[in-house]
Amino acid sequence: MSIPFAISARHKGFNRAEIVDQNFVEFVQLWQGEVHTAPRDNEAVLPGSALDARGFRELLESQLISRHLDLMARVLRVQNKVFYTIGSSGHEGNAMVARLTRHTDPAFLHYRSGGFMAERFRKLPGMDAVMDSALSFAASKDDPASGGRHKVWGSKPLWVLPQTSTIASHLPKALGTAVAIEQARRIGHQLPIPDDSITICSFGDASSNHATAQTAFNTAAWTAYQKLPAPVLFVCEDNGIGISVKTPSGWVASNFQHRSNLDYFFADGLDLAEGYAQVQRAVEHCRTTRRPTFLHLKTTRVMGHAGTDFEIEWRSIEELFAVEASDPLLRSAGIALESGLYSKDELLNLYEATRKRCFAAAEDADSRHRLTSLEDVMKPLAPYTPAAVKAEATRADYAEKRLAVFGGEAKLPENLSPRHLAIQIGQALHDLLAKYPQALLFGEDVAQKGGVYTVTKGLNKTFKGSRVFNTLLDETMILGLAQGYANMGMLPMPEIQYLAYFHNACDQIRGEAASLQFFSNDQYRNPMVMRVASLGYQKGFGGHFHNDNSITALRDIPGLVVGCASRGDDAATMLRTMMALAKVDGRVCAFLEPIALYMTKDLYEAGDGQWQFDYPALDQAMTLGEGRIYNETANDLVVFTFGNGVPMALRAARTIEQEHGWQVRVVDLRWLAPLNDAFIAAQAKSAKRILVLDEGRKSAGVGEGVITAIVEGGCGATPMQRVVGADTFTPLAGAALLVLPGEAEVVAAARKLAKR
């Protein structure tokens, strides 16, 4: 079933989209095969096929919708009516995956999923695949998937979670969602989907080589090896090329066919009659065995990577002819004619009617409203309902659970003597796991060991392995799991063992977790509180990877909440608020824990115990953006800082007061993203001198944001100094103190201010 090369040859050098379009018409017009008696709806479309006639007709219609959306995009993009031309042409066989799965099976799709979406739209009455897709292509504010923020394949009622231009970054969260489906049963959590659901994750052959994809495959096998269910259907749509880089012939099969604990199936996505049963076997295997399943779906890519990809410039015409001859729509046309389900005229009429429908929808979408204000664009990015968050953070209706967790009234943390940071974080985590039965805490070494610094000690014993558990050593997958749990309505608290390790997995927060509300127009949320052991000054065990002060990578992520508590009571109230932000507003939060302060008990002298604090009552929570002020009425010098800088500044203040007779106010920012500019400016207005103490690096650190807030708040004329870390990695042992700010530098900066 292929078109004669002579037909294509006549179009050498022309627009390949026009050629592919005309190829279909000419193929139908010139078709001369044998015609069977048309089968009834429930009969095989062709002898021996598992696909019945009704199924074929509907799959064909889905394929045609996908194709004409692509053709429409190529035509109307040059008219500035649509804004996306990465198409699905050649991949229309993925419609079979949609037909054989349920609309309640969460789907994480790559950009060539037009056929899948058109077919999934059939699952619910009253939905219009063409109009919804056209609105997305047009970046219309009425787009039900993203509200005009991106061309995405997505649908809340159809459980298609929006992805943007994914290159494997969605695989970890797809696997995480599959694991979460089974985890829900173990913790007694009610799923928003049926218990036997599977997750679907599609990607290209080129993307299968990406490190992020490989970590998902490895974790899937790691999970299955332990006999733990992970019902994910990985769908590798193999078209043999990634933009212009060819995949070695046979590579995907060679790489995946014999992997242990990743069950491999092949299906011909170019042939509906042949491929249907093959896809069906893979789907049924995944659903019944609950094992990770790899479906190798043969596809092709016609019309290039996108509208701007002129393949004729780098690909031989003979190769283009061969690719276009493998177009799956030509095979579907052959099946339609051979089976007797369509005459030539009927098939061409359907083809042209679908074209008109897609263009009409596109013109309609072009007339709709688009995003025209910054407020509209940002509306779903960082929702915040302060009253509801405060009410949730201070909710204390779980008294009996607390008593059971802590072992009686006398052992409740608020009834104990003051404690240091590590203990109070641990107490707060016990509290939160008691408060939220859907909460999970996981990461490397967090369970039986209780973490490298014993912060999570006792949690595994109290809440068991279904809620507090170790993961494999893979930060990307830890955050992928967190997103999966959140997708299924749980409240994950993943731990990243050191801030330096976060950078390996940053895109799982930047590109995936923190972007979901934005690109789904707040229809989907993946709330979480990510705990990270952070910052410098660790004694006896250091170097760059255990003293990372790069907060910039976090502060640069739109919508992410970043907090850093320097003392135990603040840690407890901040964690309460973060969990409330996650639960109420769906926010993604990063809780930075200063390692060097975990065990700190004293402030000025050994044994003074002044850096231990009472556990806060349950009616106390920390408002987002609220700082802590020491010596509030002092105005000779105001020091803005956070984390390790707080006790450092308090100690330096004593020396400064003695040297200059100044009264020193220390302002602990506590919340590092978003910075509370109004709070900073208000504190700066009454200051005679300002010192910004930032233990991060000089370039792009928190201090730059603080100074900007001060200047923009009208206090730029106030004498000001900055004490900050050097722009270098942190060395081992005592040399670390050469690159990090210390008390002596704070005092020296005050001396400079005294001379101004």
Side-chain angles (χ1 to χ4, degrees), residues 302-500:
V302 296
M303 293 165 44
H305 174 71
T308 55
D309 179 19
F310 299 104
E311 289 183 294
I312 194 66
E313 295 179 352
W314 56 271
R315 211 171 186 179
S316 72
I317 192 67
E318 291 77 17
E319 186 179 354
L320 285 174
F321 292 164
V323 168
E324 289 160 3
S326 67
D327 185 347
L329 259 64
L330 303 182
R331 173 57 180 151
S332 292
I335 296 170
L337 297 170
E338 181 183 350
S339 66
L341 288 175
Y342 293 87
S343 67
K344 291 183 180 183
D345 286 344
E346 289 170 338
L347 185 55
L348 290 174
N349 287 341
L350 175 62
Y351 189 76
E352 293 305 323
T354 308
R355 185 198 307 274
K356 290 178 182 178
R357 182 183 171 193
C358 290
F359 271 85
E363 294 292 346
D364 185 353
D366 180 53
S367 70
R368 307 285 189 96
H369 295 295
R370 292 196 172 99
L371 296 169
T372 56
S373 71
L374 180 61
E375 181 182 6
D376 274 353
V377 170
M378 294 184 65
K379 186 177 180 181
L381 175 64
Y384 179 40
T385 50
V389 168
K390 182 177 181 180
E392 178 61 33
T394 56
R395 177 171 61 83
D397 56 357
Y398 60 106
E400 290 187 11
K401 290 183 180 178
R402 291 192 81 224
L403 289 173
V405 165
F406 289 108
E409 187 78 26
K411 294 184 180 180
L412 292 175
E414 61 268 31
N415 295 330
L416 301 178
S417 58
R419 294 288 194 272
H420 52 279
L421 179 64
I423 293 292
Q424 300 293 48
I425 292 174
Q427 301 281 42
L429 294 175
H430 276 83
D431 235 340
L432 291 170
L433 285 164
K435 182 177 183 177
Y436 298 107
Q438 73 274 41
L440 306 169
L441 188 148
F442 50 94
E444 299 160 16
D445 302 301
V446 300
Q448 292 85 354
K449 181 178 175 63
V452 173
Y453 299 97
T454 69
V455 175
T456 59
K457 184 178 180 180
L459 290 171
N460 177 258
K461 183 177 180 181
T462 301
F463 295 99
K464 311 306 178 190
S466 57
R467 295 189 60 201
V468 178
F469 50 91
N470 292 326
T471 65
L472 74 176
L473 198 155
D474 185 338
E475 285 74 25
T476 296
M477 207 52 241
I478 290 171
L479 297 177
L481 286 169
Q483 293 174 80
Y485 294 133
N487 288 336
M488 292 295 100
M490 300 174 221
L491 281 175
M493 290 189 284
E495 179 184 291
I496 301 299
Q497 198 167 81
Y498 290 100
L499 181 57

Side-chain angles (χ1 to χ4, degrees), residues 161-408:
L161 289 78
Q163 317 300 309
T164 56
S165 294
T166 50
I167 303 179
S169 58
H170 57 311
L171 272 71
K173 63 182 180 182
L175 174 60
T177 303
V179 172
I181 291 170
E182 299 299 319
Q183 187 80 0
R185 175 181 51 78
R186 292 193 286 271
I187 70 169
H189 174 70
Q190 181 64 48
L191 284 169
I193 55 177
D195 291 349
D196 65 343
S197 297
I198 64 173
T199 63
I200 304 152
C201 182
S202 62
F203 50 92
D205 49 293
S207 293
S208 73
N209 299 303
H210 198 282
T212 313
Q214 292 296 325
T215 196
F217 302 141
N218 178 70
T219 304
W222 184 84
T223 304
Y225 178 77
Q226 299 174 84
K227 302 294 190 291
L228 298 173
V232 59
L233 181 68
F234 290 121
V235 184
C236 180
E237 300 184 13
D238 183 1
N239 63 24
I241 197 166
I243 303 184
S244 68
V245 180
K246 295 179 182 178
T247 298
S249 179
W251 167 246
V252 173
S254 174
N255 196 15
F256 291 96
Q257 193 168 8
H258 303 295
R259 286 201 184 191
S260 297
N261 295 299
L262 186 59
D263 302 340
Y264 175 91
F265 290 80
F266 173 82
D268 188 351
L270 303 176
D271 187 330
L272 298 181
E274 177 69 21
Y276 193 78
Q278 298 165 334
V279 174
Q280 187 174 45
R281 283 193 291 272
V283 172
E284 290 178 353
H285 173 84
C286 184
R287 195 177 305 279
T288 56
T289 66
R290 319 303 288 166
R291 284 174 56 85
T293 304
F294 188 96
L295 173 59
H296 181 190
L297 188 69
K298 182 181 180 181
T299 63
T300 191
R301 191 189 77 191
V302 296
M303 293 165 44
H305 174 71
T308 55
D309 179 19
F310 299 104
E311 289 183 294
I312 194 66
E313 295 179 352
W314 56 271
R315 211 171 186 179
S316 72
I317 192 67
E318 291 77 17
E319 186 179 354
L320 285 174
F321 292 164
V323 168
E324 289 160 3
S326 67
D327 185 347
L329 259 64
L330 303 182
R331 173 57 180 151
S332 292
I335 296 170
L337 297 170
E338 181 183 350
S339 66
L341 288 175
Y342 293 87
S343 67
K344 291 183 180 183
D345 286 344
E346 289 170 338
L347 185 55
L348 290 174
N349 287 341
L350 175 62
Y351 189 76
E352 293 305 323
T354 308
R355 185 198 307 274
K356 290 178 182 178
R357 182 183 171 193
C358 290
F359 271 85
E363 294 292 346
D364 185 353
D366 180 53
S367 70
R368 307 285 189 96
H369 295 295
R370 292 196 172 99
L371 296 169
T372 56
S373 71
L374 180 61
E375 181 182 6
D376 274 353
V377 170
M378 294 184 65
K379 186 177 180 181
L381 175 64
Y384 179 40
T385 50
V389 168
K390 182 177 181 180
E392 178 61 33
T394 56
R395 177 171 61 83
D397 56 357
Y398 60 106
E400 290 187 11
K401 290 183 180 178
R402 291 192 81 224
L403 289 173
V405 165
F406 289 108

Side-chain angles (χ1 to χ4, degrees), residues 111-126:
Y111 39 66
R112 302 197 195 281
S113 299
F116 182 102
M117 286 301 299
E119 185 64 25
R120 182 164 272 207
F121 266 89
R122 298 181 187 279
K123 303 285 185 177
L124 290 178

